[in-house]
Amino acid sequence: MAQYLNKYFASVFNKANEELRGNGRMTNGNEDMEVDITTSEVEAILEQLNGTKSEGPDNLHPRILKELAHEIASPLARIFNESVNSGVVPYDWRIANVVPIFKKGRKSDPSNYRPVSLTSVVCKVLEKILKEKVVKDIEVNGNWDKVQHGFTKGRSCQTNLISFFEKVTDYLDKGNAVDLIYLDFSKAFDTVPHVELLVKLEKMGINMRIERWIRNWLKGRLQRVVLKGELSGWKEVTSGVPQGSVLGPILFNLFITDLGTKSGNVLIKFADDTKLGGIANTEKDRDIIQEDLDDLVNWSNSNRMKFNSEKCKVMHLGINNKNFRYRLGMHQLEATEEEKDLGVLVDHRMTMSRQCDMAVKKANVVLGCIRRGISSKDKEVLVPLYKALVRPHLEYCVQFWSPMFKKDEFKLEQVQRRATRMIRGMENL
């Protein structure tokens, strides 16, 4: 099974494209400054390691590194400086044990598993340091993606939803019809072409030594699947950013920074999840949205990324919506009346009643499990369980979907009343 999964994971990679190599910078960044990593930086990160996490292929467990933080910080700082300034990345830092995480669907279908890479913890310490330096360079040069909310400090699913739908509801309040396009990339993190990514990093003004280190970190990577003690053979990784690494998410964000920059409508991203929305009163409005879609398809073709056309949908909002049709490349987009948007169920009426029902259902399922599995009725036992396991379902992004109707508020209150009836001394609250 491990060999079967690894063969599938490797099959989705883009082939290496060494012909594409560009020079030139968009900004005058920190050209070729020597990187100086201090002992205190390394020790601080070592002390913050989570000792319960798994080790990588080098078998250096984070708990050991954390306990020896003071003793090993200085030699590690010297190794890190030598590695970054010379551009040499050790072999152990370029291999990964891949753990397949089941998503949903048939367990026999390999496409229903997400490959999460367990890489060297020592390398992750260096990645954290380099990530901060990359972020600083991007901010200084003004190349940060203003519509990206994923893996970005101070932003979240909640800020994404509120920011996007604030504009959408403003259009609706003024009597406009609005069309929303939900876009989904196929195997986004696994198909990022390395050379195209590196060309973009060069143009963004990132320190050339860090860019060279990232290039060598991506080059010659190998992975194997680890499943219930079974090990597959090694497979070459020819594209993608490792899911489970520290640098992977920010590199992906930088790669898609130029996605949708020409959009004439509202466009927002959360990592690879992209939404496009615009007024759709007339044929001219429809054509503007279609032009944006064509531009996104052109971007995906030139960057060797594929949209999962079957999962891309259009939602029509507004009483007088004419239900225009759109295409993504050669594919006609299917209309939907509701869509799960970053974990929140959004419907074409924008009442949020369906989301309220879903949150209540999930909360009640967990409450039922607690009631059947926990014999104690003490407040000290049940209240922490309620706060940790039940309340998150009711409060996730609630600032965005807070109920509009009394009947929906009552449903939420009923969950809390059911919980209090389970606790001794709180039955009559």
Side-chain angles (χ1 to χ4, degrees), residues 114-116 131-132 134-136 138-139 144-160 188-190 192 241-257 268-274 342:
R114 176 180 290 109
V116 175
K131 175 189 172 184
E132 295 304 315
V134 169
V135 169
K136 184 178 179 181
I138 295 299
E139 289 176 344
W144 203 252
D145 190 348
K146 295 177 177 61
V147 297
Q148 177 63 262
H149 287 248
F151 309 114
T152 305
K153 188 176 181 180
R155 293 187 169 188
S156 63
C157 294
Q158 182 171 291
T159 62
N160 176 290
F189 279 74
D190 296 325
V192 173
V241 290
Q243 297 188 61
S245 66
V246 176
L247 279 175
I250 189 173
L251 291 179
F252 182 84
N253 278 359
L254 295 178
F255 178 72
I256 65 167
T257 294
I268 202 164
K269 311 168 198 169
F270 189 91
D272 62 314
D273 289 330
T274 305
L342 300 179

Short mmCIF file of all heavy atoms in Angstrom, two decimals, residues 114-116 131-132 134-136 138-139 144-160 188-190 192 241-257 268-274 342:
data_model
loop_
_atom_site.label_atom_id
_atom_site.label_comp_id
_atom_site.label_asym_id
_atom_site.label_seq_id
_atom_site.Cartn_x
_atom_site.Cartn_y
_atom_site.Cartn_z
N ARG A 114 -3.99 13.14 1.51
CA ARG A 114 -3.12 14.30 1.43
C ARG A 114 -1.72 13.90 1.90
O ARG A 114 -1.57 13.41 3.01
CB ARG A 114 -3.64 15.45 2.29
CG ARG A 114 -2.72 16.67 2.31
CD ARG A 114 -3.25 17.79 3.18
NE ARG A 114 -4.43 18.41 2.58
CZ ARG A 114 -5.65 18.28 3.04
NH1 ARG A 114 -5.88 17.54 4.12
NH2 ARG A 114 -6.66 18.87 2.45
N PRO A 115 -0.68 14.12 1.08
CA PRO A 115 0.67 13.76 1.49
C PRO A 115 1.29 14.82 2.40
O PRO A 115 1.48 15.96 1.97
CB PRO A 115 1.43 13.66 0.16
CG PRO A 115 0.70 14.60 -0.75
CD PRO A 115 -0.75 14.61 -0.31
N VAL A 116 1.56 14.48 3.64
CA VAL A 116 2.19 15.42 4.58
C VAL A 116 3.62 14.95 4.83
O VAL A 116 3.85 13.80 5.23
CB VAL A 116 1.41 15.50 5.90
CG1 VAL A 116 2.14 16.38 6.91
CG2 VAL A 116 0.00 16.05 5.65
N LYS A 131 12.44 32.03 6.96
CA LYS A 131 11.09 32.54 6.67
C LYS A 131 10.95 33.98 7.14
O LYS A 131 10.41 34.83 6.40
CB LYS A 131 10.05 31.66 7.35
CG LYS A 131 8.62 32.17 7.20
CD LYS A 131 7.64 31.40 8.07
CE LYS A 131 6.27 32.03 8.06
NZ LYS A 131 5.32 31.35 8.97
N GLU A 132 11.42 34.27 8.35
CA GLU A 132 11.32 35.64 8.86
C GLU A 132 12.12 36.61 8.00
O GLU A 132 11.68 37.75 7.77
CB GLU A 132 11.83 35.68 10.31
CG GLU A 132 10.97 34.89 11.29
CD GLU A 132 9.52 35.33 11.28
OE1 GLU A 132 9.26 36.56 11.27
OE2 GLU A 132 8.63 34.45 11.25
N VAL A 134 12.79 36.23 4.75
CA VAL A 134 12.07 36.37 3.48
C VAL A 134 10.89 37.32 3.64
O VAL A 134 10.67 38.21 2.80
CB VAL A 134 11.59 34.98 2.98
CG1 VAL A 134 10.62 35.16 1.82
CG2 VAL A 134 12.77 34.14 2.54
N VAL A 135 10.12 37.15 4.72
CA VAL A 135 8.97 38.03 4.97
C VAL A 135 9.42 39.48 5.08
O VAL A 135 8.78 40.39 4.52
CB VAL A 135 8.23 37.59 6.26
CG1 VAL A 135 7.21 38.65 6.68
CG2 VAL A 135 7.54 36.25 6.04
N LYS A 136 10.53 39.70 5.77
CA LYS A 136 11.05 41.07 5.93
C LYS A 136 11.42 41.67 4.58
O LYS A 136 11.10 42.82 4.28
CB LYS A 136 12.26 41.05 6.86
CG LYS A 136 12.81 42.44 7.16
CD LYS A 136 13.98 42.36 8.13
CE LYS A 136 14.54 43.76 8.41
NZ LYS A 136 15.71 43.70 9.34
N ILE A 138 10.23 40.84 1.63
CA ILE A 138 9.01 41.07 0.84
C ILE A 138 8.29 42.33 1.30
O ILE A 138 7.82 43.13 0.49
CB ILE A 138 8.07 39.85 0.95
CG1 ILE A 138 8.70 38.61 0.32
CG2 ILE A 138 6.73 40.14 0.28
CD1 ILE A 138 9.01 38.73 -1.14
N GLU A 139 8.22 42.52 2.63
CA GLU A 139 7.55 43.70 3.16
C GLU A 139 8.30 44.98 2.81
O GLU A 139 7.69 45.99 2.43
CB GLU A 139 7.40 43.57 4.68
CG GLU A 139 6.37 42.52 5.09
CD GLU A 139 6.31 42.34 6.60
OE1 GLU A 139 7.26 42.79 7.28
OE2 GLU A 139 5.33 41.73 7.09
N TRP A 144 4.22 42.21 -1.10
CA TRP A 144 3.30 41.33 -0.40
C TRP A 144 1.95 41.31 -1.08
O TRP A 144 1.46 42.31 -1.58
CB TRP A 144 3.15 41.78 1.06
CG TRP A 144 2.70 40.67 1.94
CD1 TRP A 144 1.47 40.52 2.52
CD2 TRP A 144 3.45 39.53 2.33
NE1 TRP A 144 1.42 39.36 3.25
CE2 TRP A 144 2.62 38.72 3.14
CE3 TRP A 144 4.75 39.08 2.06
CZ2 TRP A 144 3.05 37.52 3.70
CZ3 TRP A 144 5.17 37.88 2.61
CH2 TRP A 144 4.33 37.12 3.43
N ASP A 145 1.32 40.14 -1.12
CA ASP A 145 0.03 39.96 -1.77
C ASP A 145 -1.08 40.50 -0.87
O ASP A 145 -1.36 39.94 0.19
CB ASP A 145 -0.20 38.47 -2.05
CG ASP A 145 -1.41 38.22 -2.94
OD1 ASP A 145 -2.19 39.16 -3.16
OD2 ASP A 145 -1.56 37.08 -3.42
N LYS A 146 -1.71 41.57 -1.29
CA LYS A 146 -2.70 42.26 -0.44
C LYS A 146 -4.03 41.51 -0.36
O LYS A 146 -4.85 41.80 0.52
CB LYS A 146 -2.93 43.69 -0.96
CG LYS A 146 -1.68 44.57 -0.84
CD LYS A 146 -1.93 45.95 -1.42
CE LYS A 146 -0.72 46.85 -1.23
NZ LYS A 146 0.50 46.32 -1.89
N VAL A 147 -4.28 40.56 -1.26
CA VAL A 147 -5.56 39.84 -1.23
C VAL A 147 -5.39 38.40 -0.74
O VAL A 147 -6.30 37.59 -0.81
CB VAL A 147 -6.25 39.83 -2.62
CG1 VAL A 147 -6.58 41.24 -3.04
CG2 VAL A 147 -5.37 39.14 -3.67
N GLN A 148 -4.21 38.09 -0.21
CA GLN A 148 -3.93 36.75 0.33
C GLN A 148 -4.16 36.74 1.84
O GLN A 148 -3.60 37.56 2.56
CB GLN A 148 -2.48 36.36 0.02
CG GLN A 148 -2.04 35.01 0.59
CD GLN A 148 -2.81 33.84 0.03
OE1 GLN A 148 -3.75 33.35 0.67
NE2 GLN A 148 -2.42 33.39 -1.15
N HIS A 149 -4.99 35.80 2.31
CA HIS A 149 -5.29 35.71 3.74
C HIS A 149 -4.78 34.42 4.36
O HIS A 149 -4.89 34.24 5.57
CB HIS A 149 -6.81 35.83 3.97
CG HIS A 149 -7.34 37.21 3.77
ND1 HIS A 149 -7.84 37.98 4.80
CD2 HIS A 149 -7.45 37.97 2.65
CE1 HIS A 149 -8.23 39.15 4.31
NE2 HIS A 149 -8.02 39.16 3.02
N GLY A 150 -4.25 33.51 3.56
CA GLY A 150 -3.76 32.24 4.09
C GLY A 150 -2.30 32.32 4.49
O GLY A 150 -1.48 32.92 3.79
N PHE A 151 -1.95 31.73 5.63
CA PHE A 151 -0.56 31.68 6.12
C PHE A 151 0.05 33.08 6.20
O PHE A 151 1.21 33.30 5.87
CB PHE A 151 0.31 30.79 5.22
CG PHE A 151 -0.27 29.43 4.96
CD1 PHE A 151 -0.67 29.07 3.69
CD2 PHE A 151 -0.42 28.52 5.99
CE1 PHE A 151 -1.22 27.82 3.45
CE2 PHE A 151 -0.96 27.26 5.76
CZ PHE A 151 -1.37 26.92 4.49
N THR A 152 -0.78 34.05 6.59
CA THR A 152 -0.34 35.44 6.65
C THR A 152 -0.63 36.00 8.03
O THR A 152 -1.75 35.88 8.52
CB THR A 152 -1.07 36.28 5.58
OG1 THR A 152 -0.86 35.69 4.29
CG2 THR A 152 -0.55 37.71 5.57
N LYS A 153 0.38 36.60 8.65
CA LYS A 153 0.23 37.13 10.01
C LYS A 153 -0.89 38.16 10.08
O LYS A 153 -0.98 39.07 9.25
CB LYS A 153 1.55 37.76 10.45
CG LYS A 153 1.58 38.18 11.91
CD LYS A 153 2.95 38.71 12.30
CE LYS A 153 3.00 39.11 13.78
NZ LYS A 153 4.33 39.64 14.16
N GLY A 154 -1.77 37.99 11.07
CA GLY A 154 -2.87 38.92 11.26
C GLY A 154 -4.08 38.66 10.39
O GLY A 154 -5.06 39.40 10.44
N ARG A 155 -4.01 37.59 9.58
CA ARG A 155 -5.14 37.27 8.71
C ARG A 155 -5.55 35.81 8.93
O ARG A 155 -4.77 35.00 9.41
CB ARG A 155 -4.78 37.51 7.24
CG ARG A 155 -4.57 38.98 6.94
CD ARG A 155 -4.39 39.23 5.46
NE ARG A 155 -4.43 40.66 5.15
CZ ARG A 155 -4.46 41.14 3.91
NH1 ARG A 155 -4.45 40.32 2.86
NH2 ARG A 155 -4.49 42.44 3.71
N SER A 156 -6.79 35.49 8.53
CA SER A 156 -7.33 34.17 8.82
C SER A 156 -8.51 33.89 7.90
O SER A 156 -8.87 34.71 7.04
CB SER A 156 -7.81 34.11 10.28
OG SER A 156 -8.87 35.05 10.48
N CYS A 157 -9.14 32.72 8.09
CA CYS A 157 -10.37 32.40 7.36
C CYS A 157 -11.42 33.48 7.63
O CYS A 157 -12.15 33.90 6.71
CB CYS A 157 -10.91 31.04 7.80
SG CYS A 157 -9.86 29.63 7.37
N GLN A 158 -11.50 33.91 8.87
CA GLN A 158 -12.49 34.91 9.25
C GLN A 158 -12.28 36.23 8.53
O GLN A 158 -13.23 36.82 8.00
CB GLN A 158 -12.46 35.13 10.76
CG GLN A 158 -13.49 36.11 11.29
CD GLN A 158 -13.54 36.11 12.80
OE1 GLN A 158 -13.99 35.15 13.40
NE2 GLN A 158 -13.06 37.18 13.41
N THR A 159 -11.04 36.71 8.48
CA THR A 159 -10.78 37.98 7.80
C THR A 159 -11.06 37.85 6.30
O THR A 159 -11.51 38.80 5.65
CB THR A 159 -9.34 38.45 8.03
OG1 THR A 159 -8.41 37.49 7.49
CG2 THR A 159 -9.06 38.65 9.51
N ASN A 160 -10.78 36.67 5.75
CA ASN A 160 -11.05 36.43 4.33
C ASN A 160 -12.54 36.55 4.04
O ASN A 160 -12.96 37.27 3.13
CB ASN A 160 -10.54 35.03 3.95
CG ASN A 160 -10.84 34.63 2.53
OD1 ASN A 160 -11.98 34.38 2.17
ND2 ASN A 160 -9.82 34.57 1.69
N ALA A 188 -2.62 21.63 -5.71
CA ALA A 188 -1.92 22.92 -5.82
C ALA A 188 -0.50 22.88 -5.25
O ALA A 188 0.47 23.26 -5.92
CB ALA A 188 -2.73 24.01 -5.14
N PHE A 189 -0.35 22.42 -4.01
CA PHE A 189 0.96 22.47 -3.35
C PHE A 189 1.95 21.50 -3.99
O PHE A 189 3.17 21.71 -3.91
CB PHE A 189 0.82 22.17 -1.86
CG PHE A 189 0.37 23.35 -1.05
CD1 PHE A 189 -0.94 23.79 -1.09
CD2 PHE A 189 1.27 24.05 -0.25
CE1 PHE A 189 -1.36 24.88 -0.35
CE2 PHE A 189 0.86 25.15 0.49
CZ PHE A 189 -0.46 25.57 0.44
N ASP A 190 1.46 20.43 -4.62
CA ASP A 190 2.34 19.42 -5.19
C ASP A 190 2.77 19.73 -6.61
O ASP A 190 3.69 19.07 -7.13
CB ASP A 190 1.64 18.05 -5.18
CG ASP A 190 1.35 17.56 -3.77
OD1 ASP A 190 2.18 17.83 -2.88
OD2 ASP A 190 0.29 16.94 -3.56
N VAL A 192 3.51 23.00 -7.88
CA VAL A 192 4.23 24.26 -8.09
C VAL A 192 5.55 23.95 -8.82
O VAL A 192 6.40 23.22 -8.31
CB VAL A 192 4.55 24.95 -6.75
CG1 VAL A 192 5.46 26.16 -6.97
CG2 VAL A 192 3.26 25.37 -6.06
N VAL A 241 5.88 22.30 -3.26
CA VAL A 241 6.52 22.72 -2.01
C VAL A 241 6.06 21.74 -0.94
O VAL A 241 4.88 21.41 -0.88
CB VAL A 241 6.15 24.18 -1.64
CG1 VAL A 241 6.80 25.15 -2.60
CG2 VAL A 241 4.63 24.39 -1.65
N PRO A 242 6.98 21.24 -0.12
CA PRO A 242 6.63 20.17 0.83
C PRO A 242 5.54 20.60 1.82
O PRO A 242 5.68 21.60 2.53
CB PRO A 242 7.95 19.90 1.56
CG PRO A 242 9.01 20.43 0.66
CD PRO A 242 8.40 21.59 -0.05
N GLN A 243 4.43 19.84 1.85
CA GLN A 243 3.38 20.08 2.84
C GLN A 243 3.86 19.51 4.17
O GLN A 243 4.10 18.32 4.29
CB GLN A 243 2.08 19.40 2.41
CG GLN A 243 1.51 19.97 1.12
CD GLN A 243 0.12 19.42 0.83
OE1 GLN A 243 -0.80 19.61 1.60
NE2 GLN A 243 -0.01 18.74 -0.29
N GLY A 244 4.02 20.36 5.15
CA GLY A 244 4.58 19.95 6.43
C GLY A 244 5.87 20.67 6.73
O GLY A 244 6.36 20.66 7.86
N SER A 245 6.42 21.34 5.72
CA SER A 245 7.61 22.15 5.94
C SER A 245 7.21 23.54 6.42
O SER A 245 6.04 23.91 6.38
CB SER A 245 8.43 22.25 4.64
OG SER A 245 7.70 22.99 3.66
N VAL A 246 8.20 24.32 6.85
CA VAL A 246 7.94 25.69 7.32
C VAL A 246 7.91 26.66 6.14
O VAL A 246 7.06 27.55 6.07
CB VAL A 246 9.00 26.12 8.35
CG1 VAL A 246 8.79 27.58 8.77
CG2 VAL A 246 8.95 25.21 9.56
N LEU A 247 8.83 26.48 5.21
CA LEU A 247 8.92 27.40 4.08
C LEU A 247 7.85 27.14 3.02
O LEU A 247 7.50 28.04 2.25
CB LEU A 247 10.30 27.29 3.41
CG LEU A 247 11.45 28.04 4.07
CD1 LEU A 247 12.76 27.72 3.36
CD2 LEU A 247 11.21 29.54 4.06
N GLY A 248 7.31 25.91 2.97
CA GLY A 248 6.36 25.54 1.93
C GLY A 248 5.20 26.51 1.75
O GLY A 248 4.95 27.01 0.64
N PRO A 249 4.44 26.83 2.83
CA PRO A 249 3.29 27.72 2.67
C PRO A 249 3.64 29.12 2.16
O PRO A 249 2.94 29.65 1.29
CB PRO A 249 2.71 27.79 4.09
CG PRO A 249 3.13 26.51 4.73
CD PRO A 249 4.50 26.24 4.18
N ILE A 250 4.72 29.70 2.68
CA ILE A 250 5.05 31.06 2.23
C ILE A 250 5.56 31.05 0.79
O ILE A 250 5.28 31.96 0.01
CB ILE A 250 6.07 31.74 3.18
CG1 ILE A 250 6.21 33.23 2.80
CG2 ILE A 250 7.43 31.06 3.13
CD1 ILE A 250 7.05 34.02 3.74
N LEU A 251 6.27 29.99 0.41
CA LEU A 251 6.72 29.89 -0.98
C LEU A 251 5.52 29.76 -1.92
O LEU A 251 5.51 30.33 -3.01
CB LEU A 251 7.66 28.70 -1.16
CG LEU A 251 9.04 28.82 -0.49
CD1 LEU A 251 9.86 27.56 -0.72
CD2 LEU A 251 9.79 30.05 -0.99
N PHE A 252 4.52 29.02 -1.49
CA PHE A 252 3.31 28.89 -2.32
C PHE A 252 2.62 30.24 -2.46
O PHE A 252 2.20 30.62 -3.55
CB PHE A 252 2.35 27.87 -1.72
CG PHE A 252 1.12 27.67 -2.55
CD1 PHE A 252 1.13 26.79 -3.62
CD2 PHE A 252 -0.04 28.39 -2.29
CE1 PHE A 252 0.00 26.63 -4.41
CE2 PHE A 252 -1.16 28.23 -3.08
CZ PHE A 252 -1.15 27.35 -4.14
N ASN A 253 2.50 30.97 -1.34
CA ASN A 253 1.87 32.29 -1.40
C ASN A 253 2.60 33.21 -2.36
O ASN A 253 1.98 33.96 -3.13
CB ASN A 253 1.84 32.91 0.00
CG ASN A 253 0.67 32.42 0.83
OD1 ASN A 253 -0.14 31.62 0.38
ND2 ASN A 253 0.59 32.87 2.07
N LEU A 254 3.93 33.18 -2.31
CA LEU A 254 4.72 34.05 -3.19
C LEU A 254 4.55 33.63 -4.65
O LEU A 254 4.54 34.48 -5.55
CB LEU A 254 6.20 34.00 -2.80
CG LEU A 254 6.52 34.58 -1.41
CD1 LEU A 254 8.00 34.43 -1.10
CD2 LEU A 254 6.11 36.04 -1.30
N PHE A 255 4.40 32.33 -4.88
CA PHE A 255 4.24 31.84 -6.25
C PHE A 255 2.95 32.35 -6.87
O PHE A 255 2.90 32.66 -8.07
CB PHE A 255 4.27 30.31 -6.26
CG PHE A 255 4.07 29.71 -7.62
CD1 PHE A 255 5.08 29.80 -8.58
CD2 PHE A 255 2.88 29.08 -7.96
CE1 PHE A 255 4.90 29.26 -9.85
CE2 PHE A 255 2.69 28.54 -9.23
CZ PHE A 255 3.72 28.63 -10.17
N ILE A 256 1.86 32.42 -6.09
CA ILE A 256 0.57 32.84 -6.67
C ILE A 256 0.26 34.32 -6.40
O ILE A 256 -0.87 34.76 -6.60
CB ILE A 256 -0.59 31.96 -6.17
CG1 ILE A 256 -0.82 32.13 -4.66
CG2 ILE A 256 -0.37 30.51 -6.52
CD1 ILE A 256 -2.15 31.52 -4.20
N THR A 257 1.27 35.09 -5.99
CA THR A 257 1.06 36.52 -5.75
C THR A 257 0.50 37.23 -6.97
O THR A 257 -0.36 38.11 -6.86
CB THR A 257 2.38 37.18 -5.30
OG1 THR A 257 2.76 36.66 -4.03
CG2 THR A 257 2.23 38.69 -5.19
N ILE A 268 -10.18 37.37 -3.99
CA ILE A 268 -9.53 37.16 -2.70
C ILE A 268 -9.04 35.72 -2.63
O ILE A 268 -9.59 34.83 -3.28
CB ILE A 268 -10.50 37.49 -1.54
CG1 ILE A 268 -9.76 37.80 -0.25
CG2 ILE A 268 -11.53 36.38 -1.35
CD1 ILE A 268 -10.61 38.48 0.80
N LYS A 269 -7.98 35.50 -1.84
CA LYS A 269 -7.38 34.16 -1.77
C LYS A 269 -7.20 33.73 -0.31
O LYS A 269 -6.99 34.58 0.57
CB LYS A 269 -5.99 34.15 -2.43
CG LYS A 269 -5.91 34.74 -3.81
CD LYS A 269 -4.45 34.92 -4.23
CE LYS A 269 -4.31 35.90 -5.37
NZ LYS A 269 -2.90 36.28 -5.60
N PHE A 270 -7.28 32.44 -0.11
CA PHE A 270 -6.81 31.83 1.13
C PHE A 270 -5.95 30.65 0.70
O PHE A 270 -6.47 29.58 0.37
CB PHE A 270 -7.95 31.36 2.03
CG PHE A 270 -7.48 30.95 3.41
CD1 PHE A 270 -7.42 31.87 4.44
CD2 PHE A 270 -7.05 29.66 3.64
CE1 PHE A 270 -6.95 31.50 5.69
CE2 PHE A 270 -6.57 29.28 4.88
CZ PHE A 270 -6.53 30.20 5.91
N ALA A 271 -4.63 30.88 0.65
CA ALA A 271 -3.70 29.92 0.03
C ALA A 271 -4.16 29.71 -1.41
O ALA A 271 -4.24 30.67 -2.17
CB ALA A 271 -3.60 28.63 0.84
N ASP A 272 -4.55 28.47 -1.78
CA ASP A 272 -4.97 28.22 -3.16
C ASP A 272 -6.47 28.40 -3.38
O ASP A 272 -6.93 28.38 -4.52
CB ASP A 272 -4.56 26.81 -3.59
CG ASP A 272 -5.22 25.73 -2.73
OD1 ASP A 272 -5.21 25.89 -1.50
OD2 ASP A 272 -5.73 24.74 -3.28
N ASP A 273 -7.24 28.54 -2.30
CA ASP A 273 -8.69 28.75 -2.44
C ASP A 273 -8.95 30.18 -2.90
O ASP A 273 -8.65 31.13 -2.17
CB ASP A 273 -9.41 28.48 -1.11
CG ASP A 273 -9.43 27.01 -0.76
OD1 ASP A 273 -9.43 26.18 -1.69
OD2 ASP A 273 -9.44 26.68 0.44
N THR A 274 -9.51 30.32 -4.08
CA THR A 274 -9.69 31.64 -4.68
C THR A 274 -11.16 31.89 -4.97
O THR A 274 -11.86 31.01 -5.46
CB THR A 274 -8.87 31.76 -5.99
OG1 THR A 274 -7.50 31.44 -5.71
CG2 THR A 274 -8.96 33.16 -6.57
N LEU A 342 -14.42 27.92 3.14
CA LEU A 342 -13.50 27.93 4.29
C LEU A 342 -14.18 27.41 5.55
O LEU A 342 -14.00 27.94 6.65
CB LEU A 342 -12.93 29.34 4.52
CG LEU A 342 -12.15 29.92 3.34
CD1 LEU A 342 -11.65 31.33 3.69
CD2 LEU A 342 -10.96 29.04 2.95
#
